[in-house]
Amino acid sequence: MALLGPAGLGPGSRGPLDEAVVAAEGREAAALEAAGAALEDDEEDDGRGRGLLRWDSFSAWLHCVCVVGFDLELGQAVEVIYPQHSKLTDKEKTNICYLSFPDSNSGCLGDTQFCFRFRQSSGRRVSLHCLLDQFDKDLPVYLKKDPAYFYGYVYFRQVRDKTLKRGYFQKSLVLISKLPYIHFFHTVLKQIAPEYFEKNDPYLEAACNDVDRWPAPVPGKTLHLPIMGVVMKVRIPTCHDKPGTTQIVQLTQQSDTNISVILPTVHEVDLFRCFCPVFFHSQMLWELVLLGEPLVVMAPSPSESSETVLALVNCISPLKYFSDFRPYFTIHDSEFKEYTTRTQAPPSVILGVTNPFFAKTLQHWPHIIRIGDLKPAGEIPKQVKVKKLKNLKTLDSKPGVYTSYKPYLNRDEEIIKQLQKGVQQKRPSEAQSVILRRYFLELTQSFIIPLERYVASLMPLQKSISPWKSPPQLRQFLPEEFMKTLEKTGPQLTSRIKGDWIGLYRHFLKSPNFDGWFKTRRKEMTQKLEALHLEALCEEDLLLWIQKHTEVETVDLVLKLKNKLLQADREHLPVKPDTVEKLRTHIDAIILALPEDLQGILLKTGMT
């Protein structure tokens, strides 16, 4: 009789070492969470004796904080990295230097905020703080950390100063993080950057110490985050939240009277403000982003370019945009040659640029959005037109969407009328954003529901799961079989929009977004099968089974069951806690039924 165990698990446990590592990780993770749990736990403020643990809570939110200044001889240079033990490679420092300053042609006087994203240097050692990735599993897919990229959140100040040789004070305070919480980190910078420019490094050190006392960024919990006398109240979304809803934290309790800032969102940008110049073409842009088409946003400043790129990426939510995107991209970027080469087709990426040089360098790209200055809320810019690419000569060209792309779907005139009416009635930008976000959400859901329904049908029936065989495999995704389902259960059931939906699906199935989405769904379903397999094992009378088998087979069974428990823990399988406990009880009972010499060996492996 074949014993259980999925392919690749092997006949036995790897022994106490694996389990010791897992146990150590569990203790470390619990320590990290505890370190951030108490806001007013001042006992460990002096981190001299704690080594790296001094910065564990800080590292859950930020990799480091950089100050980038302008040196007459060196140009842009990183002046300060805090905490001082933070590791950045020379390549990463160079990227941060150039991405933290607007291009000289932007003419950004005063204070400017924007965001950039850059590739992490290969070969970087994974930090122990990645234990906090356990929180990643509860995030919506579009907010999960991308291990290959850092975000940079910038507060740049440029003011006249006659005491300096250049005649200007130019400096950026930059937060480097793995977390894509754009609105949250911009709010943090608004609180600390202006004062930092007046008080310098001691103030920055104090702010970082405040961050090191924050609770861990646990999704779904209301968090109180004090920084330099201000307390921010935030809630990070979870994958269980209903898409399109924002659970705004309210001032309900008396203890909340010291809350200074309440953030309704940690990651969303002002969608309508960004789409305002192009909202006539918002549906076409949604298609281009959905299909992972190469797209360039040419804007007058990094603020406009980064906001617009982030709004585009956000418009297909709750789908994740799986290709690369750069909210602000410069000619000094380490990927400049890779992304501007003419020897191959432009890659699937969205670039935000401000340098006029790009108008020439990227004129072979198929889709270019040229925007002017974004107007304040309440003002409506003239709607840009779709123009042929050959008309784009320089960055001085008129604003417009330069493409020869023909949308698959007919334009939805209803949403355009609704937004136009809002402009005429001076509806606030926030309300317009809610309307536009709901429209994009309904469009994306209408598109994705038929795919979800078909992929769910690839799951084997529960009755086919046997505890004594490896879990069954998912059926293969067959494009033509999927296309046949669209006639009866296609997007026409939920969307009023007409057009060539079939053509849009065919194009999507070849895109990086489909590839990323399907890999994620396949992993989730495979993990579900593993969890169901564990449940099936728990329902078996294992003591009866061992009576019919040899000691060698029984020991093999115990080791494989332990491996299954290790896998459930390591891969965060969706297993009920009582299932795990029941299986541990089974293992203990089987071990006690064995001779004493074997009991001693098996109990040494822990986990029981």
Side-chain angles (χ1 to χ4, degrees):
M1 181 182 199
L3 288 179
L4 79 160
L9 268 182
S13 166
R14 285 165 59 188
L17 181 61
D18 260 9
E19 292 153 337
V21 169
V22 170
E25 286 182 349
R27 287 193 298 273
E28 180 91 35
L32 294 184
E33 191 169 359
L39 281 175
E40 295 170 359
D41 181 10
D42 291 326
E43 291 178 31
E44 294 189 310
D45 276 2
D46 179 14
R48 306 272 177 205
R50 283 199 290 158
L52 279 175
L53 287 174
R54 161 102 162 79
W55 292 105
D56 279 337
S57 296
F58 177 93
S59 298
W61 292 90
L62 292 168
H63 178 71
C64 65
V65 179
C66 297
V67 177
V68 180
F70 192 90
D71 185 285
L72 274 175
E73 293 176 7
L74 301 173
Q76 279 120 271
V78 175
E79 296 177 352
V80 176
I81 298 177
Y82 206 84
Q84 290 164 354
H85 66 259
S86 303
K87 299 284 192 295
L88 287 171
T89 66
D90 289 343
K91 187 178 180 181
E92 287 166 348
K93 284 181 190 171
T94 302
N95 273 330
I96 291 168
C97 280
Y98 285 115
L99 290 166
S100 298
F101 272 41
D103 278 316
S104 54
N105 65 292
S106 297
C108 298
L109 267 178
D111 292 354
T112 306
Q113 283 191 261
F114 59 94
C115 163
F116 61 82
R117 185 172 180 263
F118 65 103
R119 204 177 283 173
Q120 185 175 293
S121 294
S122 57
R124 171 187 281 281
R125 283 181 59 201
V126 176
S127 161
L128 274 176
H129 308 306
C130 289
L131 290 170
L132 286 157
D133 287 352
Q134 61 182 301
F135 303 128
D136 222 37
K137 66 184 171 65
D138 294 323
L139 287 167
V141 65
Y142 53 87
L143 286 183
K144 289 184 188 292
K145 294 189 283 291
D146 188 327
Y149 289 89
F150 281 122
Y151 282 84
Y153 301 99
V154 183
Y155 195 106
F156 170 72
R157 174 168 286 184
Q158 178 169 262
V159 290
R160 292 185 187 279
D161 187 338
K162 291 178 182 176
T163 64
L164 300 173
K165 279 188 180 179
R166 277 172 66 87
Y168 286 94
F169 170 89
Q170 292 175 309
K171 196 164 280 195
S172 285
L173 183 61
V174 189
L175 308 181
I176 304 296
S177 177
K178 288 278 187 186
L179 304 176
Y181 301 161
I182 294 104
H183 184 64
F184 170 73
F185 285 118
H186 279 331
T187 306
V188 170
L189 279 169
K190 272 181 195 165
Q191 299 300 326
I192 64 170
E195 213 160 339
Y196 162 72
F197 289 129
E198 305 297 327
K199 298 178 179 175
N200 297 321
D201 294 356
Y203 181 87
L204 183 60
E205 185 173 353
C208 290
N209 281 324
D210 276 353
V211 175
D212 194 39
R213 286 195 288 272
W214 285 0
V218 183
K221 281 191 177 180
T222 299
L223 306 173
H224 297 91
L225 310 174
I227 188 156
M228 303 312 286
V230 173
V231 180
M232 295 183 295
K233 188 175 179 181
V234 301
R235 180 187 178 275
I236 297 166
T238 79
C239 54
H240 309 295
D241 293 350
K242 186 181 175 186
T245 59
T246 304
Q247 298 198 14
I248 299 175
V249 279
Q250 300 290 349
L251 275 171
T252 50
Q253 301 167 357
Q254 289 183 346
S255 60
D256 283 352
T257 51
N258 63 342
I259 304 295
S260 313
V261 180
I262 297 179
L263 295 187
T265 174
V266 292
H267 66 284
E268 290 172 347
V269 294
D270 188 338
L271 205 60
F272 182 70
R273 183 168 174 266
C274 300
F275 272 95
C276 197
V278 292
F279 75 73
F280 274 28
H281 318 299
S282 52
Q283 193 173 298
M284 178 179 76
L285 296 175
W286 173 85
E287 284 189 25
L288 291 174
V289 176
L290 179 78
L291 299 173
E293 286 286 309
L295 199 54
V296 185
V297 175
M298 294 185 173
S301 79
S303 296
E304 272 107 352
S305 86
S306 62
E307 279 188 42
T308 306
V309 168
L310 292 165
L312 288 166
V313 168
N314 197 248
C315 80
I316 61 168
S317 179
L319 266 183
K320 179 179 180 177
Y321 180 78
F322 279 94
S323 295
D324 191 8
F325 60 95
R326 303 300 177 89
Y328 176 50
F329 190 74
T330 76
I331 57 173
H332 303 288
D333 198 286
S334 52
E335 278 78 58
F336 174 74
K337 284 184 181 175
E338 177 188 336
Y339 284 168
T340 56
T341 179
R342 289 171 179 258
T343 57
Q344 57 195 49
S348 174
V349 62
I350 304 178
L351 297 181
V353 304
T354 61
N355 194 317
F357 181 71
F358 281 108
K360 185 177 181 182
T361 314
L362 298 178
Q363 63 184 351
H364 62 295
W365 277 45
H367 321 290
I368 296 171
I369 305 170
R370 167 78 177 97
I371 56 171
D373 292 312
L374 293 182
K375 304 291 184 192
E379 293 185 41
I380 180 80
K382 185 180 175 185
Q383 284 299 296
V384 303
K385 295 180 179 177
V386 174
K387 305 176 183 184
K388 290 182 180 174
L389 275 165
K390 61 181 173 58
N391 295 336
L392 185 70
K393 297 288 195 306
T394 67
L395 201 62
D396 297 326
S397 300
K398 288 182 180 177
V401 180
Y402 293 81
T403 180
S404 52
Y405 176 80
K406 293 188 77 173
Y408 287 97
L409 305 181
N410 302 338
R411 191 159 74 179
D412 186 347
E413 300 295 340
E414 286 298 312
I415 184 67
I416 293 170
K417 286 177 188 171
Q418 203 176 350
L419 291 171
Q420 279 181 314
K421 188 177 179 183
V423 172
Q424 289 159 5
Q425 295 177 344
K426 294 190 165 42
R427 188 186 291 146
S429 181
E430 294 84 358
Q432 294 278 76
S433 284
V434 168
I435 293 167
L436 191 55
R437 189 168 276 111
R438 190 189 307 126
Y439 162 72
F440 281 138
L441 174 66
E442 289 171 359
L443 191 55
T444 304
Q445 287 182 322
S446 292
F447 180 80
I448 212 70
I449 285 169
L451 276 162
E452 291 277 9
R453 191 182 288 118
Y454 173 71
V455 167
S457 75
L458 305 180
M459 187 86 162
L461 295 173
Q462 192 160 348
K463 64 182 180 183
S464 68
I465 297 172
S466 163
W468 307 112
K469 294 179 183 175
S470 297
Q473 299 290 306
L474 296 174
R475 283 199 309 115
Q476 191 180 351
F477 187 107
L478 300 172
E480 289 311 313
E481 185 180 62
F482 164 66
M483 293 297 173
K484 285 175 186 172
T485 68
L486 294 175
E487 190 178 339
K488 290 184 179 176
T489 56
Q492 69 276 8
L493 296 180
T494 51
S495 177
R496 63 176 178 261
I497 298 170
K498 307 292 183 190
D500 182 11
W501 286 97
I502 301 278
L504 186 61
Y505 279 113
R506 286 194 191 282
H507 195 152
F508 179 72
L509 294 184
K510 297 172 188 170
S511 75
N513 284 333
F514 169 73
D515 191 47
W517 172 82
F518 183 60
K519 278 179 181 168
T520 304
R521 293 293 290 117
R522 186 170 55 197
K523 182 183 176 185
E524 289 168 355
M525 290 164 75
T526 303
Q527 288 184 333
K528 179 67 176 171
L529 284 171
E530 292 284 358
L532 290 171
H533 189 238
L534 264 181
E535 285 174 22
L537 275 166
C538 285
E539 300 307 315
E540 286 294 302
D541 187 343
L542 297 180
L543 286 174
L544 181 64
W545 183 91
I546 66 171
Q547 290 171 19
K548 301 175 184 178
H549 293 81
T550 65
E551 281 182 9
V552 172
E553 288 174 318
T554 302
V555 170
D556 197 38
L557 172 66
V558 169
L559 295 174
K560 285 186 175 178
L561 288 174
K562 290 192 171 202
N563 261 342
K564 293 288 282 185
L565 284 176
L566 277 170
Q567 180 194 12
D569 187 56
R570 185 175 58 246
E571 297 179 12
H572 305 298
L573 296 184
V575 183
K576 298 169 190 165
D578 58 334
T579 301
V580 173
E581 280 311 307
K582 203 185 283 188
L583 201 54
R584 287 187 203 279
T585 307
H586 279 327
I587 292 171
D588 287 342
I590 295 169
I591 290 174
L592 290 173
L594 289 166
E596 282 190 19
D597 59 335
L598 282 174
Q599 284 185 34
I601 293 167
L602 290 171
L603 286 169
K604 277 180 189 173
T605 62
M607 289 277 303
T608 62

